Amino acid sequence: MFGRREFLVGAAAVGLVETASAGVLSGGAADKAVDAFLRTQTFQGVVLIGRAGKPIYSRAVGFADIEARRPAMLDTPYAIASISKWLTSTAILKLVEAGKLDLDAPILTWLPDYRADTGAKVRLRHLMTNISGIPNGFATWTKANPDPDLFKKTFTTEQAVKLWCSGDLIFEPGTKFDYVLTNWILVTAIVEAVTGKTYAQAMAELVMTPVGLSRTTPFDPPNVAASYRTLEPLVRRANDRFPFMAASGGFVSTAGDLLKAAHAVFDGDVLSPSRKKDLLTIGWPDQSYALGGRVKTLFADGLPRVFAWETGNTAGYRSVLGHRFDDQTTVVLLNNTSITQKAMDEFAYALFGTV
């Protein structure tokens, strides 16, 4: 087995620290912040800081695959988990802009075969803000019916909606926050209903191709970073998922693609001003939750500043995509060692203070 001590020694030996090319910060405060974090956390992955969509600091640490001694690289793809919700929300808002969807219409509008009582109450905005009241039938069902071969089976989005997203409401829509997978299975069903395409095809046409996210996909590429439950002992952690889970947390991406996406969506014209306002309007204040992601006020330069704060946590993967609006600074962190999300958030916040 390849434990943490050997991992750290090996990382240093093969030079798995990379600094991006000309015009990019080298050393200084950012390097010190990364070094300080590495002294206390088993982080391995990618650190990228950009401004106006251009990298100004980058560093890759450790291994994408420890057993194979494959180093983490700046273009290594990692599972980004719930950052997928933000990408999905961008696609939804493009469909709103095209007049194909309405955030405040009942979901029965596009899913006429869904149960009428719930479908008439729940709005698309409720799903995207995680305040629908629809229970997580998938978690309940799998707990009651454990099946080690579940992810070897095939279910369509329509089947998933009927099996796991049609339970009785556990609260009235809009009255509580409940961060559940089933909201986003229904969002997937709506995207497929209005576009007539699979969710993956629709996302490619609405977001990935226009923004140029060539390394962002709901499917695992051959060189995706491995996921680890622990480093000592060295234990992998599977990231099993169905295609109908992609909107909630199924995408894989690279740091470069996420930097490009942040600049295009937050600073650019991918969305019209009114749709961008929808994306960033907080719908559930105690969670800082807007549509498919969070908007936070954090202190920077001694003053409160507004940040988009997208995070992802699945299997051994942890990710952060933070974007400061006033100066268009972005921090991207991708990791595969099951460290806490809190540690990742604090690391990202510290990096904003270095540039």
Side-chain angles (χ1 to χ4, degrees):
M1 288 301 237
F2 190 36
R4 180 172 181 266
R5 182 184 300 275
E6 187 176 350
F7 154 67
L8 292 171
V9 172
V14 297
L16 299 184
V17 177
E18 299 182 5
T19 306
S21 57
V24 177
L25 294 175
S26 60
D31 265 334
K32 289 179 181 178
V34 175
D35 291 340
F37 189 70
L38 293 176
R39 285 194 288 270
T40 63
Q41 300 288 337
T42 56
F43 176 91
Q44 63 174 7
V46 178
V47 178
L48 180 63
I49 305 174
R51 183 165 289 136
K54 303 296 183 183
I56 60 172
Y57 174 87
S58 58
R59 186 163 161 183
V61 178
F63 294 98
D65 186 323
I66 295 174
E67 295 91 333
R69 306 278 181 111
R70 175 164 60 91
M73 306 292 287
L74 297 178
D75 62 353
T76 298
Y78 291 76
I80 59 171
S82 287
I83 296 176
S84 306
K85 295 180 175 72
W86 170 69
L87 293 171
T88 301
S89 294
T90 299
I92 289 286
L93 289 168
K94 292 191 74 172
L95 291 170
V96 171
E97 190 72 28
K100 296 182 179 181
L101 289 175
D102 180 343
L103 293 175
D104 295 307
I107 64 175
L108 207 60
T109 305
W110 312 288
L111 303 177
D113 294 330
Y114 191 66
R115 56 182 292 176
D117 55 347
T118 299
K121 285 185 174 183
V122 175
R123 301 326 197 222
L124 178 56
R125 191 187 300 272
H126 290 147
L127 298 176
M128 297 168 68
T129 316
N130 298 305
I131 55 175
S132 72
I134 296 170
N136 188 348
F138 182 80
T140 303
W141 187 87
T142 52
K143 184 176 181 180
N145 302 277
D147 181 357
D149 295 323
L150 177 63
F151 286 96
K152 296 178 182 178
K153 299 177 180 178
T154 300
F155 299 92
T156 65
T157 305
E158 183 181 8
Q159 288 172 326
V161 168
K162 290 179 178 178
L163 282 169
W164 300 307
C165 307
S166 301
D168 295 339
L169 292 174
I170 56 176
F171 55 81
E172 284 299 303
T175 63
K176 292 183 181 179
F177 185 85
D178 192 21
Y179 196 75
V180 293
L181 166 69
T182 39
N183 289 321
W184 296 89
I185 297 176
L186 285 163
V187 168
T188 300
I190 290 168
V191 169
E192 293 182 342
V194 300
T195 64
K197 304 177 186 298
T198 68
Y199 168 80
Q201 290 170 336
M203 287 296 295
E205 292 182 14
L206 290 164
V207 178
M208 308 313 162
T209 299
V211 180
L213 307 182
S214 61
R215 306 295 304 282
T216 303
T217 170
F219 311 106
D220 284 346
N223 61 336
V224 65
S227 161
Y228 294 96
R229 184 182 301 275
T230 60
L231 296 185
E232 191 174 338
L234 191 63
V235 179
R236 287 202 180 204
R237 187 175 180 182
N239 185 34
D240 294 324
R241 60 201 188 276
F242 292 110
F244 61 77
M245 295 177 170
S248 177
F251 274 89
V252 171
S253 189
T254 63
D257 262 18
L258 291 177
L259 173 61
K260 183 185 296 184
H263 181 57
V265 173
F266 294 134
D267 307 324
D269 59 2
V270 170
L271 297 175
S272 69
S274 58
R275 298 291 78 83
K276 193 180 299 186
K277 181 179 178 181
D278 286 331
L279 182 69
L280 301 174
T281 297
I282 294 174
W284 198 256
D286 73 353
Q287 291 286 331
S288 303
Y289 207 87
L291 295 183
R294 289 178 166 83
V295 177
K296 295 185 176 184
T297 299
L298 303 170
F299 275 85
D301 306 325
L303 294 171
R305 312 286 187 180
V306 180
F307 292 74
W309 205 267
E310 320 299 341
T311 61
N313 183 328
T314 185
Y317 301 104
R318 305 290 182 267
S319 52
V320 177
L321 170 60
H323 184 79
R324 178 175 160 177
F325 288 100
D326 64 329
D327 67 358
Q328 299 185 6
T329 300
T330 304
V331 168
V332 180
L333 299 176
L334 300 174
N335 169 72
N336 63 341
T337 62
S338 295
I339 64 178
T340 69
Q341 193 65 50
K342 180 180 179 182
M344 290 283 287
D345 286 345
E346 291 174 348
F347 184 25
Y349 184 44
L351 288 167
F352 273 107
T354 67
V355 294

